[in-house]
Amino acid sequence: MERLQKVISNSGLCSRRKAEELILAGRVKVNNKIIRELGTKVSNKDIIKVDDNELSKEKKVYYLLNKPRGVITSVSDDKKRKTVVDLIPCNEHIYPVGRLDYDTTGVLLLTNDGDFANILMHPNEKVEKLYIVKVKGIIKGDAINTLKNGVIIDGEKWEKAKVKLRKVDYKTNTSMLSVIIHGGKNHQVKRMFESVGFPVLKLKREREFIFDVKGLKSGEYRSLTPKEVAIVYSLEKSIK
Ligand code: URA
């Protein structure tokens, strides 16, 4: 017996969090009865439907994409813009693990394995995200120190960041930095730099946990190896 939201996310339909929303919204039926309790346990004999469509049991797939600019991190888009899922032709119902902005490039994982996605999206000291950031202006030590100590935005103290200044260019009036954070707040890096007065011009996720885009050109992707998947699963112990 397994929890209903886990079975839904494992089917590849969506993340665990999204599955919980679907249950609470009354869109999930077990043996033709609407179930709204998140703790409900089901077995593989139960027939589960979401919006009256029966869940399929797909094989698990895992991809690493070097996301280009101008692509939306979503499964579909009302404005008909190209999505990251469009870049990976496959029969499984994959979705992105976390998100990168439309104009952000670099490491993005996609899968239909809800447990895998959940492990990486759960706050965890071991899951570092390294970004290369180009900002407008010549950044100064006090702004860097504020980022290192954790910026305060809307009265809330944000996480400390590891920040290194890589280069300043007086001709173009820009600075390049590397930043390591763990969180996945919306526009986290852009908002951090904006809060210290340096708007982000370019942003690339160079690494997430053990994954980088070495060997992948912009828009290219590859499958993860079973060993890489196992390394992600080995983190599960540290988030329980
Ligand atoms: N932080 C941002 O501001 N944007 C991203 O795409 C990722 C992290």
Side-chain angles (χ1 to χ4, degrees):
M1 300 285 276
E2 278 194 302
R3 287 161 81 85
L4 182 55
Q5 58 266 43
K6 185 170 178 188
V7 175
I8 296 172
S9 67
N10 281 350
S11 77
L13 187 74
C14 57
S15 68
R16 185 102 51 100
R17 232 173 277 165
K18 180 76 192 168
E20 290 176 355
E21 283 171 28
L22 293 171
I23 295 169
L24 292 172
R27 291 167 62 185
V28 177
K29 285 183 186 163
V30 177
N31 304 327
N32 279 329
K33 188 170 162 246
I34 293 179
I35 298 290
R36 290 175 193 267
E37 289 79 42
L38 292 179
T40 306
K41 296 255 174 90
V42 289
S43 78
N44 54 14
K45 290 196 192 112
D46 291 313
I47 295 169
I48 300 159
K49 291 182 181 167
V50 175
D51 293 334
D52 285 322
N53 298 314
E54 197 171 328
L55 285 190
S56 70
K57 292 183 179 109
E58 292 181 341
K59 82 168 164 73
K60 303 283 184 281
V61 291
Y62 309 88
Y63 295 101
L64 167 55
L65 170 71
N66 184 357
K67 180 192 172 294
R69 275 167 171 261
V71 179
I72 182 160
T73 304
S74 178
V75 173
S76 59
D77 183 45
D78 332 332
K79 295 184 204 149
K80 299 261 182 293
R81 287 173 298 183
K82 193 179 247 190
T83 76
V84 288
V85 168
D86 296 332
L87 298 178
I88 304 180
C90 72
N91 294 324
E92 289 77 18
H93 295 86
I94 56 170
Y95 51 85
V97 178
R99 50 164 304 161
L100 288 180
D101 294 334
Y102 189 65
D103 56 353
T104 302
T105 60
V107 174
L108 185 71
L109 295 161
L110 296 102
T111 185
N112 59 352
D113 180 347
D115 284 335
F116 176 93
N118 210 38
I119 293 167
L120 285 171
M121 291 198 303
H122 198 281
N124 187 330
E125 275 304 298
K126 291 182 186 146
V127 179
E128 288 187 344
K129 292 160 190 165
L130 165 66
Y131 292 91
I132 304 296
V133 194
K134 182 178 182 183
V135 298
K136 186 165 175 234
I138 305 297
I139 198 161
K140 299 275 161 20
D142 55 351
I144 294 179
N145 284 334
T146 305
L147 293 162
K148 283 185 178 169
N149 291 327
V151 295
I152 295 172
I153 295 182
D154 298 334
E156 189 198 335
K157 176 108 172 347
W158 283 23
E159 64 170 304
K160 292 182 176 176
K162 289 184 192 151
V163 186
K164 275 193 194 140
L165 180 60
R166 299 279 160 145
K167 203 169 99 185
V168 291
D169 186 334
Y170 289 94
K171 264 196 218 138
T172 56
N173 190 36
T174 56
S175 313
M176 293 276 287
L177 303 99
S178 65
V179 177
I180 295 178
I181 54 171
H182 298 92
K185 286 185 196 291
N186 248 358
H187 314 305
Q188 185 161 340
V189 175
K190 290 179 185 166
R191 292 182 68 196
M192 283 164 52
F193 278 88
E194 243 156 52
S195 78
V196 292
F198 292 89
V200 171
L201 299 175
K202 253 186 175 180
L203 185 58
K204 177 180 184 187
R205 182 149 71 195
E206 186 98 326
R207 180 169 59 79
E208 175 170 9
F209 186 42
I210 57 166
F211 302 104
D212 60 40
V213 287
K214 271 182 207 136
L216 294 177
K217 295 197 188 97
S218 174
E220 285 186 347
Y221 64 91
R222 68 168 175 88
S223 291
L224 300 192
T225 64
K227 190 169 173 202
E228 288 171 326
V229 175
I231 293 173
V232 171
Y233 268 97
S234 73
L235 287 173
E236 208 172 14
K237 292 176 220 101
S238 61
I239 63 172
K240 274 186 178 160

